[in-house]
């Protein structure tokens, strides 16, 4: 599944409901899911971590859709390495 396909699937599954909720309230759900991920990282099983990463990815993606942002365009910033220094691995902070 590509990033484009994932965003399309999330749009088809949740887009109408999330549009009714609106960008600001959907973003608040994303923030809440990030909090749940923080807890899962500290204390929970691999399966729970996968679930929470999945939820954050889905909420991030639907928030992007509501904001008119293609996640593939966002991901493309990193296609040629670090967007700031252009290096892979990143050299930011290593140079003197
Ligand atoms: Zn860098």
């Amino acid at each position: 599944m590509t990033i484009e396909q994932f965003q399309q699937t999330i749009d088809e599954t949740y887009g109408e409901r999330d549009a009714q909720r609106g960008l600001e309230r959907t973003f608040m759900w994303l923030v809440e899911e990030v909090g749940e991920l923080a807890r899962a990282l500290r204390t929970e099983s691999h399966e729970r971590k996968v679930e929470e990463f999945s939820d954050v990815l889905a909420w991030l993606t639907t928030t992007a859709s509501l904001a008119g942002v293609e996640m593939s365009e966002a991901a493309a910033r990193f296609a040629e390495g670090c967007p700031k220094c252009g290096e892979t691995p990143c050299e930011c902070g290593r140079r003197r």
Side-chain angles (χ1 to χ4, degrees):
M1 182 181 261
T2 65
I3 290 173
E4 289 92 342
Q5 289 167 337
F6 182 77
Q7 189 160 11
Q8 180 71 33
T9 297
I10 294 295
D11 286 353
E12 288 168 5
T13 308
Y14 301 111
E16 189 176 330
R17 191 172 68 196
D18 292 346
Q20 287 173 355
R21 182 187 305 105
L23 177 59
E24 284 187 24
R25 288 180 56 216
T26 299
F27 177 74
M28 290 310 295
W29 272 101
L30 167 61
V31 171
E32 191 169 314
E33 288 296 336
V34 170
E36 290 181 16
L37 174 60
R39 281 191 294 281
L41 287 174
R42 285 197 307 268
T43 62
E44 295 176 16
S45 68
H46 177 75
E47 289 72 20
R48 287 286 299 145
K49 289 174 188 166
V50 170
E51 198 174 309
E52 294 303 339
F53 273 105
S54 174
D55 285 348
V56 169
L57 184 60
W59 282 103
L60 177 65
T61 300
T62 203
T63 301
S65 294
L66 289 177
V69 171
E70 296 290 333
M71 290 296 286
S72 58
E73 185 180 358
R77 285 186 63 236
F78 292 88
E80 305 297 325
C82 173
K84 289 181 184 166
C85 69
E87 298 297 328
T88 303
C90 169
E91 293 288 336
C92 295
R94 291 187 189 172
R95 292 176 177 158
R96 297 179 184 190

